[in-house]
Amino acid sequence: MKLASLKHRRDGKLIIVSRDLRQAVDASDIAKTLQDALDDWDTLSPLLRARYDALNADHVSGRFPFDPFACASPLPRAFQWADGSAYVNHVELVRKARGATMPESFWTDPLMYQGMSDKFLGPREDIALCDEAWGCDFEAEVAVITDDVPMAVSPQDASQHIKLLMLVNDVSLRNLIPSELAKGFGFFQSKPASAFSPVAVTPDELTEHWQDNKIHLPLEVNLNGDQFGAPDAGVDMTFDFSELVAHAAKSRHLGSGTIIGSGTVSNLDRSKGSCCIAERRMLEILDLGAPQTPFLLYGDRVSIEMHDKEGRSIFGKIEQEVVSYG
C-alpha cells in the first residue's frame, strides 16, 4: 500500500497512490490525515488497503493523476523524529579523517539524535539557506514510521510496530556542527528541516527486498544531474530497523507516527559512491590530503530515489534546490 499527503493545512490530506505512482484517490473519508490513520491503524488500514487494491485494478471512481509537487511529506509534521546512524562504517570514516578513534561501543549501541519534527519539507520543496558558509549538505537515508510502541520493547517485537517506510533527505549544516557538539548537548541549529519522499509504503510493497528489517536495494543520489552515489541500503547496515526502534523505546513509549531514520546510507565498497557530501570529502582527505568537493551552493539540485529491480520508482523522488532564504 502506498500513501501520501496532499498539501492541506498543517497535517495534509490523506490520499492513496497506485503502485505505479501514476494515479491517486482521496482517502480522507477513511482517515483525514496519515496521523489519523496511524492512530487507529488496525481498524483503518484494511479499509485503506481495500481502496488501494481497487485503485490498482481500476475499480474505483474519483481517480486523479498523482502529482508529487502537490504533496507534502507523508507526515507533514510528526510528534517525534529520531535519526540513528546505523551504517557505522560511515561514522568510522568521518572520525578517521579527522584523526579520531571510534569507541568500540559504537558497534554495539546505536547512535541516535532527536531532530526537528514540527514542520518537514515537501519532497519537491526548496532548501532555504541563510548562508552558504554554513556548509549545507544532503544526507540520503531510509526511515520507518511506527504505530504505538511500548517502552522496553525487544527488537524481535519492535519489528511488528513498523508500519510504513520512506526515503529521507536529512539536511545538515556541517560547519555549524563542530561548535554545537563541543558544547556536549547535541545537534540543534545544525539540523534544519528534513524532507521525505512523496509516498510512504507498507513493507510488503518491497516484496523480497524487505528482509531482516532492512531494505535491500540501492539508494540513488544525484547532484546537479550527475550520479553521486547508489549504495545498497541493505549492505553494511550494522543495526536493522527493529534494533533502532527498540533503542529509541528503551526508556519511553513511542507514540504512533514516530519516525525513525537509518542515518546516511553507506557501503564499504567505495565504488558505490556516497549519500552525503561529507563522506566524499572525508575520502578526499584520506586520498588527497584535502577535500575537493564543495558543500551545497545556491542553485544546486539534489535528488534521492529508489527503484525496484524492474526500474520502477518505489517511493517517488525527493528533488530539491538550494535557494537563498529571504
Side-chain angles (χ1 to χ4, degrees):
M1 181 164 59
K2 300 192 177 188
L3 303 173
S5 295
L6 295 180
K7 296 175 184 176
H8 178 73
R9 301 174 65 88
R10 293 198 180 201
D11 293 303
K13 179 181 180 181
L14 184 63
I15 60 172
I16 299 167
V17 183
S18 62
R19 183 169 285 114
D20 62 8
L21 304 181
R22 293 173 182 250
Q23 298 288 313
V25 66
D26 184 22
S28 61
D29 60 316
I30 299 173
K32 290 184 179 180
T33 67
L34 181 55
Q35 183 62 54
D36 288 339
L38 289 160
D39 286 341
D40 195 11
W41 186 257
D42 288 345
T43 299
L44 299 180
S45 61
L47 303 177
L48 294 169
R49 182 168 292 279
R51 189 168 298 179
Y52 176 69
D53 292 340
L55 174 63
N56 286 314
D58 292 329
H59 291 160
V60 66
S61 60
R63 297 187 305 273
F64 54 89
F66 176 61
D67 179 10
F69 287 91
C71 289
S73 282
L75 282 172
R77 57 178 175 171
F79 292 113
Q80 188 155 231
W81 153 231
D83 198 16
S85 193
Y87 300 85
V88 179
N89 71 85
H90 169 77
V91 180
E92 186 177 43
L93 175 67
V94 171
R95 293 177 69 92
K96 182 179 180 181
R98 66 171 189 263
T101 58
M102 191 178 75
E104 280 298 315
S105 63
F106 282 22
W107 291 102
T108 57
D109 191 31
L111 294 170
M112 188 169 286
Y113 81 93
Q114 194 159 14
M116 170 185 169
S117 64
D118 53 331
K119 186 184 186 304
F120 296 128
L121 299 176
R124 302 298 173 90
E125 190 172 347
D126 292 338
I127 301 169
L129 178 64
C130 291
D131 190 340
E132 288 180 325
W134 288 353
C136 186
D137 196 359
F138 54 84
E139 291 191 63
E141 309 182 10
V142 182
V144 300
I145 306 176
T146 73
D147 62 3
D148 289 306
V149 181
M151 182 168 59
V153 69
S154 69
Q156 293 76 18
D157 290 339
S159 62
Q160 302 170 18
H161 296 281
I162 295 171
K163 301 306 177 185
L164 295 165
L165 299 107
M166 306 182 289
L167 305 182
V168 193
N169 181 12
D170 179 41
V171 180
S172 294
L173 304 176
R174 299 293 188 185
N175 294 337
L176 299 186
I177 288 177
S179 61
E180 283 205 302
L181 294 186
K183 297 175 182 178
F185 226 53
F187 302 120
F188 195 84
Q189 292 176 335
S190 54
K191 288 289 188 176
S194 299
F196 294 83
S197 51
V199 301
V201 311
T202 49
D204 61 285
E205 287 292 324
L206 294 158
T207 62
E208 73 273 14
H209 305 302
W210 175 251
Q211 294 181 23
D212 305 320
N213 299 298
K214 303 175 184 179
I215 300 179
H216 295 266
L217 284 169
L219 183 57
E220 304 155 24
V221 182
N222 285 344
L223 177 59
N224 295 324
D226 297 322
Q227 186 176 85
F228 197 86
D232 193 306
V235 174
D236 302 317
M237 189 180 190
T238 306
F239 305 103
D240 66 39
F241 276 113
S242 67
E243 293 172 307
L244 293 177
V245 172
H247 178 83
K250 178 177 180 176
S251 61
R252 65 179 74 179
H253 300 287
L254 305 180
S256 65
T258 291
I259 305 172
I260 306 288
S262 67
T264 306
V265 175
S266 178
N267 288 171
L268 284 167
D269 181 356
R270 300 305 176 192
S271 70
K272 302 300 184 182
S274 299
C275 279
C276 71
I277 294 173
E279 182 174 285
R280 177 176 285 189
R281 286 169 62 92
M282 293 308 108
L283 290 167
E284 291 167 347
I285 290 171
L286 294 172
D287 292 341
L288 305 173
Q292 307 293 312
T293 304
F295 288 119
L296 295 172
L297 302 174
Y298 299 140
D300 282 344
R301 298 186 65 86
V302 59
S303 68
I304 300 168
E305 194 169 15
M306 182 176 280
H307 294 86
D308 63 19
K309 294 300 184 181
E310 286 70 44
R312 296 170 298 205
S313 182
I314 299 170
F315 302 90
K317 182 189 295 186
I318 299 172
E319 189 167 23
Q320 299 176 278
E321 181 176 350
V322 180
V323 300
S324 175
Y325 177 71

